Amino acid sequence: MKRIVLLASVICAVGCGGSAATGELTRRAPAAGAAVDSTSRLEKSAFDAMQAEDWSSADKSFAELRRIDPRNANAVSNHGVVLEHLGDLDTARAAHAEARRLEPDNAEFVLAESRVTARSGDTERALALVEAGLDRSPDHVGLRLLNAALLRESGKPELAVASAQRALLRAPTTYRAVAILARSYIDLDQPMQAATVLRAALAEAPDEASLRVELGRVLESRGDTIEALGQFERAVQIDDTYASGWTNIGALALRFRDYTKALDAYRRARESGASTCEAWAGTGYAYEGLSEGELAIENLEQALERCPADTELLYSLGTVAMTLLGDQERALGYFERYVRARPELAGDHPVRMTIEALKSNRENAEPQESR
Amino acid sequence: MGRMLFLVAFFAIGPSAHAEDAAPAEFAWRNRPLEADMDERASKKRDEAIVKLTRLIDSLDDGPESADLYFRLSELHWAKSRSQRLRAMEGWDRALDAWHESGAKGSEPKLEDRRRYRDSEFEKAKALGLYRTILDLYPDYERRDEVLYNLASALYESGNSADGVKAFWKLLKTAPRSRFVPDTWLELGEHFFEAYRLGDARKAYQRAIDTSQELEADRDDKARVYSYALYKLAWVEFNAERYSTALEHLKSVVDYAKVERSRAMAKRDRIQLYEESLGDMAAVFAYLDATDDAFEFYRRELGDANAYPYLLRLARKYHEAGKYRAEIKTLERVNSAYPTAPQAPANQVAIVAAHTELDNSEAVRTGARRLVDLYAPDSPWWRANQDDSAVQREAYGLVEAELAKLALAQHEIAQTTKLEANYELASTLYQEYLSKFADSENAYRFGFFRAEILFDLGRFDAAARAYRDVVDADQDGEYAKSAAYTELLAWEEVLAETDARASSTTATLSSVEQNLVTACDRYVRIAPDDEETVKVRMKAARIFADHERFDDARSRWNELIGNHPRDPLASVAMRASFESFASEKRWGELREYASKLRSQDIAEDKRAASSIQKTIEAASFNEILHEREPKVEPKEAGELYRAFTQAHPESSYAPQALFNAMLRYREAQRFDLAIPMGTELVDTYNRPPPSRPTQARKSAPAELRKSEDLASLRAKSMFVLASMYGAAAQPTEAISWYLRYANEFPRGEERDDSLYNGAVLLQEMGEYERARKVLEKYLELASSQAEAEPARWRLGEVLEKLEQWKAAERHYRGLVLSAPAGGKLCARYRAHNARRLGGASAQELRAEWEALASQWQSLPDSDRSAPCSQDAIGAAAFYALDADYRGVIAMKLVGSEREVSRRLVAKLNRVNVLQRGYVEVLSTGSGEYGVAALYRVGRLYQDLAENLSESTCPGRLTDEQCMMYEAELLEQARPLEAKAADAFNKAVMKGFELRLYNDWLRKSVSALNVLEPGRFPPERELELVSDNPELQAPTARLDR
């Protein structure tokens, strides 16, 4: 091998391109410009796919792009975003880490890595990354916001308040910071503070739907249900695809047994893209209120699928199966799953009693075939 | 007088005199030549002859022929004496010149000390000795009369006139028939004429005439003596003021000369005497004022061409006699008759001079004009004499010189007399001169003189232009500096006189102003070091500045500042420059300009340096404000202002810059940058000045510290800070700044708003007690009670939150009085409600609620439908029934059978009444109280059903009967429950319809669920959601 290389270098010394030396035509390597064109096309196709939310295509394009140009930090980071959308958080996190390694001063890359780290559940690591990023880019609003959100998540609402306030001083129209600030105040049991900052922000940006939703939540926590509903309704007036607004309208309607309105609100929420367990569960409860047992179960199952840890859904499913459908077997199944998920329930807990009763009924009931 | 004229006629005509006077009238009238032989060779020959003759005399024995040899020897010695004397005179002249040139050092040279003079005296003594020897030793010598004549002549000529005259007389006595007698009489005539013994002279000349005719003599000698004696006789008569006789004699001389001239052998002396006589006749004609006769005589006698010089002589004689009018007349007539004569220019010069003598300014002006017009190059005269360049040159020189002389003389007269007319004439003459002799040596000087005259005459425009011409002619010339300076003074006068300033609103200078600034610039260029240049630069700059041509003005101010930095005007110029930039709002350039000055000499002056520094600060600030800020984004503008405050912390503009920085940062949504600016302004510039200069702490500039401006900036800053904190979701800080503002600036423009905003935030924050105090303060101070209306309502709300019901009731009752018509009902409602919530019983309040409902009825429709009115009427209608409702609920179906029946009927009746009442509540349109009313209706029926079903079995009934009794009661209660359920259902439906998710709805739902178990599934409480986008992956691409 070494000898071959040496020969090649000798030949090149005589006349590169080969034709002069051998008399044969040889294929030339693509010119640099052609390589750049190829990269550009690939990059464009990757971003086009991203734009179209065609995450799989985007994944392939970015992977190829990274293979050709592994030092293209922009491509690496965007690939991470695509991977996030595909749910591959570990690979996404690695991609963002690579992008940050390539460009340590790029706050966007730091933000992306921090975010995906937090989504992966490593809040502590995410906070450390964010704070390191803020040391380099103290004015970066995105980092500051994530910092505030993570501090709150970490149970440090005072620090979250300070961080959110700093973000607001840096960029007063960053209404996400107001939302985080308000939530932090709620955490600190300062609902009035929360309401005040939200009202102040709404005075500046009355059409900021997210702020209205936040204010609605605060008002509801203070017992001002009608005002809270008003804020949610205003939010969906501003943006009729604002899923959180619809979801919360549904929740309030549900509390007051206004099932028709609740069902309508949840429908709008889901049409607006909400696929949260709240939206599915709310829909299920609305159907329950309207005595639509199967539909109720169907939607509650959807909710359970998204929020398997929400064991109360199992109890609700059991109740619906029993009361609306009279399907004791299904009810028993849900209740048994419920108690398995809640082993701490006392032995005389009503659910356990119900299970026993249902089991007893089953035992006492004559099998159809035998009869 | 007459003698003087004679002398002038013969000897005193100077080099500029007439051509015929160029040679002295030395015609040979003497019998014996007087000229000395000055030739060296001749002198040598003479000496040799003297030696030879002396040897010869010594070698011969004395005899008759010895006398002849002595005579010849004496003549040689006499000639030698004359020659030596002349040479001695020449040497003496040279010695005198040298002595003078050497500064008159040493003793003055004397003629007597010269060797040749002594030789001359020696030779003269020899000659005289020899003459006397002949006369003594040879009494019979045949040429004794000649020896005697020569001796007399020698004695007379050598200054011994007395012995000379005696010798002449001796000759007449001893040789009365000698051929030397006529000459002797002529010599004596001359002697008497010289002695002004006119009578003796007349006799002697007459004897000469007579004897020349009587005695036999050579004809030429006769004619010579006759002509001359006659001629001199004319002069004797002339001097005796017998002019006509003199004229006759002269005519006789002329006539005689003509006769003599006709002879072929006419001698030169006769011709000369002829010409002299003709010339001298002019003097006589002049004395006789016989101009016409003279013209007639000369032209007849000599012809037109030859008469010309004699006519000029006549004019000159008039001039010499002071007869200027006659002179003018003569010369004008001559020039008219001989327009192209070479002498014509000189004649015109003489005419002008004569007019000058007559002090006839207009004539002088006209004459000078004619002189220029008629004889300058390209004139007809000039062309007529084109073949004679010498004449042309002479004429040119003459006209130039005469005009120059004339102008100067006139100028001198003007300066002496100070008369305007004289100045005018001098000016005209200078102008005439300059029009034709601009290239002459005098032109430059005369141009200046003329300008001076024009200035003195107050003809400033012309003067200014004349001065300018002088400067342009020679900028290094003697008069350049003075002319340049006076020119600008003249333009200033023109400007002042004519008010020729262009409007200051136009950039174009008037012609006069332009001329003035040009003159100023010229002066500065010519006399850069003159002390006046400072003022001159300033003057020109000022004119440009008046027309807002500041670039032009500044270039001059800058020169002034650069060249005369320590002159007081330099500071003025500097400030003017500053102001000009400022007025043009060219702040950046002003800053650069002032910054450059900082390194120049002018900055060494403390006051100037201070002014420069302040200007740099002002310019820098305004540059940002007017030039840079409009071109940049707000954040960058904020940074510019911030940089300014860092560069100039002590500047009077620093607070304003901080304020502007705050506003721009705020505009850029960078509150994190804006707030420190405002805080620094509020806190730093409120400090007293540092007690020691070394303290590195900023403070307000002295001129601003107590000023309204600074206070205003601080106040505004506080308000802006508060609003920024409010917008940045930091209400606590916002409240703090609002209240600080109100505290520090109790008369501030934003005081009301600050108090109000602070109160609102306090209220929202739940700090009701503080909110109450601030609102009360606001209401106490509010400048506009109308604008304070919302605060009053807000105070009511705060009092409600504080559950200070009595205070709230009082407050609302106060509002009933102050609120506008639409608000009064609302205020009453709130007052009743406060009273209700304060514990007043339903019964106590019933009348008031009914009154409120009645008042609502009287409201106009527009006020009825207002939200508060709706709430008020709903509440009024609802709470007016409250006492009855509580009474009905309190009625229990207990007692005897009869009593139960009675109570049941009564209760039913009251329920029916109340139901109608609650239906009326529904009709008020108030959703909240409508749902409540429906609930109450349901509750009434539910209560009735419960009472009925719970009523005790009468004691008289058996157990079985009791069971039947109770079953019947339950049966009768069922429709009541149905009615209750219906009402609750309606309440729920209304609540759903109106989305009145309140306690009435919740109660209705609960009640309904009791009456219709399973109507509603268990309450499902789902968490309210919110977004958490921070943790969501972006859908858009990330870009670097």
Side-chain angles (χ1 to χ4, degrees):
Chain A
M1 186 66 183
K2 192 174 180 183
R3 186 165 168 270
I4 293 168
V5 171
L6 186 63
L7 278 174
S9 66
V10 169
I11 291 167
C12 264
V14 173
C16 275
S19 58
T22 64
E24 294 176 2
L25 290 175
T26 56
R27 184 174 178 273
R28 292 182 178 178
V36 170
D37 286 347
S38 168
T39 306
S40 298
R41 277 198 300 276
L42 200 54
E43 200 164 32
K44 182 176 184 305
S45 106
F47 285 124
D48 286 347
M50 208 174 167
Q51 183 79 19
E53 299 187 18
D54 181 356
W55 305 115
S56 295
S57 298
D59 178 31
K60 287 174 188 167
S61 295
F62 277 124
E64 178 64 10
L65 197 55
R66 289 178 67 184
R67 192 187 62 75
I68 294 169
D69 182 8
R71 298 196 61 77
N72 185 339
N74 199 33
V76 173
S77 181
N78 278 289
H79 192 200
V81 171
V82 170
L83 291 167
E84 281 185 75
H85 282 285
L86 288 170
D88 187 354
L89 294 184
D90 289 342
T91 315
R93 187 174 171 182
H96 287 311
E98 174 64 9
R100 183 173 63 82
R101 190 187 64 74
L102 290 169
E103 289 187 17
D105 290 332
N106 190 320
E108 290 298 329
F109 296 166
V110 175
L111 177 63
E113 187 189 0
S114 307
R115 182 186 62 242
V116 75
T117 302
R119 291 183 68 193
S120 302
D122 192 351
T123 307
E124 194 176 337
R125 169 66 184 154
L127 254 178
L129 280 170
V130 167
E131 284 169 2
L134 284 170
D135 286 344
R136 288 172 182 261
S137 310
D139 285 340
H140 194 277
V141 176
L143 282 175
R144 188 66 65 188
L145 271 178
L146 185 57
N147 179 241
L150 292 178
L151 285 168
R152 181 174 167 265
E153 288 282 317
S154 308
K156 298 170 183 169
E158 298 94 339
L159 296 177
V161 165
S163 192
Q165 284 180 336
R166 193 161 170 185
L168 280 165
L169 290 174
R170 163 65 183 80
T173 55
T174 310
Y175 299 114
R176 287 304 311 153
V178 181
I180 295 170
L181 185 62
R183 283 180 219 165
S184 302
Y185 280 131
I186 295 292
D187 294 344
L188 290 166
D189 199 20
Q190 296 175 2
M192 302 292 275
Q193 284 269 24
T196 303
V197 298
L198 289 165
R199 284 187 201 283
L202 281 167
E204 299 291 325
D207 291 336
E208 191 63 33
S210 66
L211 291 180
R212 300 226 168 255
V213 167
E214 290 294 339
L215 180 58
R217 293 178 72 219
V218 173
L219 293 170
E220 171 58 23
S221 73
R222 289 164 48 181
D224 295 333
T225 309
I226 293 176
E227 276 194 56
L229 181 64
Q231 293 298 333
F232 297 143
E233 288 180 335
R234 180 76 197 280
V236 297
Q237 278 174 5
I238 293 164
D239 178 5
D240 64 0
T241 65
Y242 195 66
S244 296
W246 287 118
T247 302
N248 289 342
I249 291 170
L252 290 185
L254 209 57
R255 287 182 199 179
F256 285 84
R257 312 296 211 284
D258 193 352
Y259 299 114
T260 305
K261 285 201 175 50
L263 183 62
D264 182 58
Y266 283 123
R267 181 181 59 78
R268 297 294 300 271
R270 285 168 50 202
E271 285 173 359
S272 301
S275 60
T276 58
C277 47
E278 286 87 355
W280 287 105
T283 307
Y285 293 139
Y287 277 124
E288 181 192 18
L290 296 170
S291 302
E292 295 282 356
E294 287 296 350
L295 289 171
I297 284 178
E298 186 182 313
N299 283 280
L300 288 170
E301 285 281 11
Q302 289 284 346
L304 186 63
E305 188 180 325
R306 282 163 180 77
C307 298
D310 187 357
T311 54
E312 293 304 314
L313 285 170
L314 289 167
Y315 183 78
S316 299
L317 280 163
T319 307
V320 171
M322 192 169 69
T323 57
L324 291 183
L325 301 177
D327 188 342
Q328 294 186 2
E329 279 303 314
R330 284 174 72 179
L332 182 61
Y334 288 127
F335 288 140
E336 284 180 335
R337 284 171 62 187
Y338 177 67
V339 296
R340 280 201 295 276
R342 301 282 302 275
E344 78 280 4
L345 294 177
D348 57 351
H349 190 275
V351 176
R352 292 191 186 277
M353 304 289 283
T354 304
I355 290 171
E356 289 303 317
L358 289 172
K359 281 182 178 174
S360 174
N361 289 344
R362 186 170 62 184
E363 288 168 3
N364 294 335
E366 290 184 9
Q368 288 263 318
E369 287 75 13
S370 61
R371 189 169 57 168
Chain B
M1 184 67 181
R3 174 169 171 73
M4 288 301 290
L5 278 173
F6 173 82
L7 289 172
V8 167
F10 274 85
F11 305 110
I13 297 171
S16 63
H18 298 266
E20 70 272 22
D21 297 328
E26 288 186 16
F27 47 92
W29 60 271
R30 292 173 186 274
N31 191 25
R32 186 173 176 235
L34 292 174
E35 66 270 21
D37 182 0
M38 295 291 291
D39 182 66
E40 280 291 332
R41 192 171 59 83
S43 179
K44 193 175 177 184
K45 288 279 185 188
R46 185 175 52 231
D47 289 346
E48 289 173 3
I50 288 172
V51 171
K52 285 179 182 175
L53 199 53
T54 304
R55 285 178 185 161
L56 181 60
I57 290 170
D58 291 342
S59 65
L60 293 177
D61 294 334
D62 189 24
E65 57 278 3
S66 296
D68 206 33
L69 292 174
Y70 278 122
F71 188 36
R72 285 173 58 195
L73 184 60
S74 67
E75 287 292 279
L76 287 171
H77 278 297
W78 175 246
K80 187 173 181 179
S81 168
R82 284 177 55 83
S83 174
Q84 294 289 55
R85 183 181 176 82
L86 286 172
R87 289 188 179 187
M89 293 283 284
E90 283 180 352
W92 182 52
D93 279 347
R94 286 194 296 273
L96 273 177
D97 288 345
W99 182 75
H100 284 296
E101 284 176 9
S102 66
K105 291 177 180 173
S107 57
E108 185 178 350
K110 292 180 180 173
L111 181 62
E112 293 78 11
D113 295 338
R114 304 199 72 78
R115 182 180 58 80
R116 288 186 188 279
Y117 179 78
R118 291 194 295 275
D119 291 348
S120 166
E121 289 296 303
F122 176 74
E123 293 296 327
K124 185 175 81 177
K126 274 191 173 181
L128 293 175
L130 285 171
Y131 286 142
R132 287 192 178 95
T133 299
I134 296 168
L135 292 174
D136 291 344
L137 296 181
Y138 304 99
D140 298 324
Y141 178 51
E142 59 182 4
R143 292 175 66 188
R144 181 183 173 82
D145 58 342
E146 189 176 356
V147 173
L148 194 54
Y149 180 80
N150 282 2
L151 174 63
S153 296
L155 286 169
Y156 200 91
E157 190 181 335
S158 65
N160 191 353
S161 57
D163 287 346
V165 168
K166 284 179 184 172
F168 282 129
W169 281 118
K170 188 175 180 180
L171 187 148
L172 291 174
K173 288 178 182 173
T174 56
R177 303 299 297 171
S178 166
R179 63 183 179 96
F180 290 100
V181 168
D183 280 306
T184 301
W185 280 117
L186 204 52
E187 291 284 3
L188 287 171
E190 290 292 276
H191 171 73
F192 294 132
F193 189 83
E194 289 293 320
Y196 208 57
R197 291 163 60 182
L198 295 179
D200 293 337
R202 185 183 291 115
K203 288 177 184 173
Y205 286 131
Q206 190 59 53
R207 288 294 294 155
I209 291 169
D210 294 345
T211 55
S212 68
Q213 300 302 313
E214 292 168 7
L215 294 174
E216 286 192 11
D218 180 79
R219 180 175 173 77
D220 278 341
D221 280 347
K222 283 185 177 181
R224 174 178 57 79
V225 174
Y226 178 82
S227 297
Y228 188 73
L230 192 56
Y231 173 76
K232 292 301 300 260
L233 197 55
W235 275 108
V236 170
E237 298 305 338
F238 183 90
N239 281 286
E241 299 182 4
R242 295 164 63 182
Y243 302 118
S244 297
T245 307
L247 187 62
E248 289 303 317
H249 287 324
L250 288 171
K251 283 182 177 175
S252 297
V253 174
V254 169
D255 289 342
Y256 184 77
K258 282 194 293 187
V259 173
E260 283 289 302
R261 202 166 53 174
S262 66
R263 292 171 53 216
M265 296 299 286
K267 295 291 184 183
R268 180 175 170 270
D269 61 319
R270 253 49 53 79
I271 296 167
Q272 208 168 354
L273 201 56
Y274 165 77
E275 291 172 352
E276 283 297 323
S277 297
L278 286 172
D280 292 344
M281 284 172 73
V284 184
F285 279 127
Y287 267 88
L288 292 170
D289 291 332
T291 308
D292 293 342
D293 290 348
F295 266 82
E296 193 275 333
F297 171 78
Y298 284 124
R299 297 177 85 168
R300 174 174 48 79
E301 187 68 31
L302 301 170
D304 286 345
N306 293 330
Y308 187 76
Y310 298 99
L311 294 172
L312 293 185
R313 174 172 286 216
L314 173 65
R316 192 162 65 252
K317 293 302 175 189
Y318 278 133
H319 178 86
E320 289 164 0
K323 296 180 175 179
Y324 301 117
R325 286 191 175 79
E327 180 193 8
I328 292 164
K329 180 182 173 186
T330 302
L331 289 172
E332 285 179 343
R333 192 167 169 183
V334 167
N335 274 1
S336 175
Y338 307 91
T340 59
Q343 190 67 22
N347 296 342
Q348 185 61 30
V349 168
I351 289 169
V352 176
H355 281 306
T356 305
E357 294 292 346
L358 290 170
D359 202 17
N360 186 345
S361 301
E362 190 53 41
V364 170
R365 192 177 289 115
T366 307
R369 179 78 258 163
R370 285 178 63 79
L371 183 62
V372 171
D373 289 345
L374 294 176
Y375 307 111
D378 292 336
S379 64
W381 179 90
W382 190 269
R383 287 192 293 275
N385 289 278
Q386 62 185 351
D387 295 333
D388 193 343
S389 60
V391 166
Q392 283 184 334
R393 262 198 316 276
E394 187 179 347
Y396 183 88
L398 178 69
V399 174
E400 189 270 332
E402 289 302 323
L403 206 49
K405 193 167 71 178
L406 197 59
L408 283 171
Q410 196 57 41
H411 192 178
E412 195 174 341
I413 291 166
Q415 286 176 327
T416 305
T417 62
K418 308 289 184 193
L419 292 175
E420 187 175 332
N422 293 137
Y423 276 119
E424 288 281 3
L425 180 55
S427 168
T428 303
L429 293 172
Y430 282 132
Q431 177 59 32
E432 294 293 353
Y433 180 92
L434 293 168
S435 69
K436 290 297 178 185
F437 305 106
D439 296 331
S440 76
E441 190 177 331
N442 284 321
Y444 175 72
R445 187 165 55 117
F446 285 6
F448 179 72
F449 292 164
R450 176 171 171 269
E452 292 277 273
I453 290 171
L454 291 169
F455 190 90
D456 288 343
L457 286 171
R459 291 167 56 188
F460 297 114
D461 189 284
R465 293 172 200 282
Y467 283 124
R468 183 174 59 201
D469 290 343
V470 172
V471 177
D472 288 346
D474 183 1
Q475 299 204 349
D476 298 321
E478 177 186 359
Y479 301 108
K481 187 173 165 184
S482 179
Y485 186 73
T486 322
E487 182 199 348
L488 68 90
L489 294 182
W491 286 121
E492 269 200 313
E493 293 289 348
V494 175
L495 203 58
E497 269 186 354
T498 60
D499 193 20
R501 292 175 197 280
S503 167
S504 60
T505 57
T506 172
T508 306
L509 271 56
S510 71
S511 62
V512 177
E513 287 171 320
Q514 185 59 56
N515 283 325
L516 176 52
V517 295
T518 305
C520 289
D521 292 347
R522 190 182 295 118
Y523 179 72
V524 169
R525 196 168 58 247
I526 287 172
D529 300 326
D530 189 90
E531 59 182 14
E532 291 296 312
T533 56
V534 177
K535 293 175 188 169
V536 171
R537 279 192 172 101
M538 200 71 190
K539 191 183 299 293
R542 181 58 185 269
I543 290 170
F544 280 117
D546 285 347
H547 289 277
E548 298 184 3
R549 286 178 55 179
F550 295 122
D551 285 339
D552 292 319
R554 277 190 291 269
S555 68
R556 287 155 181 83
W557 283 325
N558 286 343
E559 285 176 6
L560 196 163
I561 293 165
N563 294 326
H564 307 276
R566 288 172 188 81
D567 192 288
L569 279 178
S571 291
V572 176
M574 183 184 74
R575 285 195 296 275
S577 269
F578 290 164
E579 285 168 14
S580 70
F581 275 119
S583 71
E584 290 182 294
K585 302 190 185 308
R586 291 161 67 177
W587 303 110
E589 290 171 72
L590 174 56
R591 177 184 53 72
E592 287 177 11
Y593 173 70
S595 299
K596 284 179 187 169
L597 285 183
R598 196 158 46 181
S599 61
Q600 293 187 14
D601 291 346
I602 193 170
E604 289 173 11
D605 178 73
K606 280 186 179 177
R607 291 208 299 183
S610 171
S611 176
I612 290 168
Q613 180 57 32
K614 286 184 177 177
T615 302
I616 289 171
E617 290 166 5
S620 301
F621 178 82
N622 282 293
E623 180 187 11
I624 297 170
L625 181 66
H626 298 295
E627 295 174 7
R628 302 181 68 184
E629 183 183 330
K631 297 174 186 168
V632 299
E633 294 298 316
K635 178 173 176 287
E636 193 177 340
E639 285 163 359
L640 291 172
Y641 284 119
R642 179 57 179 155
F644 176 88
T645 64
Q646 289 170 339
H648 308 289
E650 299 296 326
S651 166
S652 59
Y653 290 88
Q656 183 70 55
L658 275 174
F659 185 75
N660 289 7
M662 176 180 70
L663 295 185
R664 296 291 79 79
Y665 280 140
R666 182 181 69 165
E667 189 181 348
Q669 297 288 299
R670 291 299 301 268
F671 292 180
D672 56 330
L673 302 174
I675 285 172
M677 299 295 101
T679 308
E680 183 177 339
L681 169 57
V682 169
D683 293 338
T684 305
Y685 287 97
N686 194 34
R687 291 173 184 157
S691 56
R692 286 180 301 167
T694 52
Q695 286 182 313
R697 196 179 71 166
K698 281 180 281 185
S699 64
E703 64 266 36
L704 266 182
R705 202 170 299 127
K706 292 180 180 177
S707 75
E708 288 297 320
D709 288 344
L710 182 57
S712 172
L713 285 177
R714 290 186 68 248
K716 287 176 183 170
S717 297
M718 284 187 192
F719 194 80
V720 173
L721 283 168
S723 65
M724 277 194 288
Y725 274 119
Q730 296 190 33
T732 305
E733 285 76 8
I735 291 166
S736 171
W737 281 109
Y738 280 132
L739 299 186
R740 184 174 169 187
Y741 178 100
N743 186 45
E744 282 196 37
F745 301 99
R747 297 178 190 281
E749 282 182 22
E750 314 288 352
R751 180 203 61 196
D752 290 358
D753 286 347
S754 291
L755 285 172
Y756 185 79
N757 292 351
V760 168
L761 287 174
L762 284 169
Q763 183 185 3
E764 287 184 356
M765 297 275 284
E767 295 194 43
Y768 299 118
E769 186 55 39
R770 287 180 70 197
R772 180 183 67 79
K773 288 178 180 172
V774 174
L775 282 169
E776 285 174 349
K777 186 172 183 181
Y778 169 80
L779 289 170
E780 178 190 338
L781 299 173
S783 50
S784 166
Q785 291 302 311
E787 289 181 6
E789 192 66 17
R792 292 196 181 86
W793 291 100
R794 201 171 273 278
L795 178 58
E797 291 169 7
V798 168
L799 291 171
E800 287 170 357
K801 291 288 185 185
L802 288 168
E803 298 185 357
Q804 296 178 1
W805 303 116
K806 287 191 181 301
E809 184 192 349
R810 278 198 303 276
H811 180 73
Y812 284 124
R813 292 206 185 284
L815 266 176
V816 171
L817 300 175
S818 65
K824 289 183 187 299
L825 184 80
C826 192
R828 281 199 183 89
Y829 156 61
R830 304 293 284 267
H832 297 336
N833 206 38
R835 197 172 170 214
R836 179 182 68 82
L837 293 167
S841 70
Q843 192 62 43
E844 287 174 319
L845 291 169
R846 181 175 185 162
E848 291 179 18
W849 288 119
E850 287 174 349
L852 189 67
S854 165
Q855 285 159 4
W856 182 84
Q857 292 292 344
S858 63
L859 285 177
D861 289 344
S862 57
D863 288 343
R864 279 189 193 181
S865 56
C868 186
S869 296
Q870 286 282 303
D871 287 344
I873 185 58
F878 184 80
Y879 289 118
L881 301 174
D882 210 34
D884 281 352
Y885 170 78
R886 293 179 193 281
V888 170
I889 293 296
M891 287 175 69
K892 299 300 179 188
L893 299 179
V894 293
S896 65
E897 238 182 298
R898 200 171 172 180
E899 182 63 19
V900 168
S901 296
R902 188 188 64 79
R903 289 191 177 206
L904 178 62
V905 171
K907 191 161 183 168
L908 275 171
N909 288 338
R910 290 181 68 178
V911 165
N912 286 334
V913 171
L914 273 173
Q915 186 177 6
R916 285 197 295 274
Y918 282 122
V919 169
E920 284 182 13
V921 173
L922 284 171
S923 70
T924 63
S926 167
E928 182 183 357
Y929 289 103
V931 173
L934 286 169
Y935 171 77
R936 282 276 174 91
V937 170
R939 187 73 191 89
L940 285 170
Y941 282 109
Q942 188 183 25
D943 173 72
L944 198 56
E946 286 170 357
N947 268 274
L948 199 59
S949 56
E950 289 173 0
S951 59
T952 55
C953 180
R956 63 182 177 83
L957 297 180
T958 64
D959 289 345
E960 187 177 349
Q961 286 174 325
C962 273
M963 286 176 66
M964 290 177 64
Y965 178 77
E966 287 172 356
E968 183 60 27
L969 286 176
L970 287 173
E971 195 62 31
Q972 287 188 15
R974 197 164 293 125
L976 294 174
E977 284 181 343
K979 280 191 173 183
D982 181 55
F984 288 138
N985 194 52
K986 284 180 178 170
V988 168
M989 291 302 115
K990 196 67 174 175
F992 287 172
E993 178 192 341
L994 300 176
R995 303 195 177 197
L996 290 168
Y997 293 171
N998 57 15
D999 279 348
W1000 298 113
L1001 178 59
R1002 196 180 294 278
K1003 286 179 181 177
S1004 298
V1005 167
S1006 297
L1008 192 57
N1009 221 18
V1010 168
L1011 293 175
E1012 296 178 5
R1015 166 71 182 272
F1016 299 105
E1019 183 178 339
R1020 307 292 189 186
E1021 188 164 346
L1022 290 176
E1023 287 291 324
L1024 298 180
V1025 299
S1026 63
D1027 299 322
N1028 208 10
E1030 292 77 26
L1031 296 176
Q1032 290 173 6
T1035 53
R1037 59 183 285 181
L1038 291 178
D1039 284 319
R1040 270 178 275 205

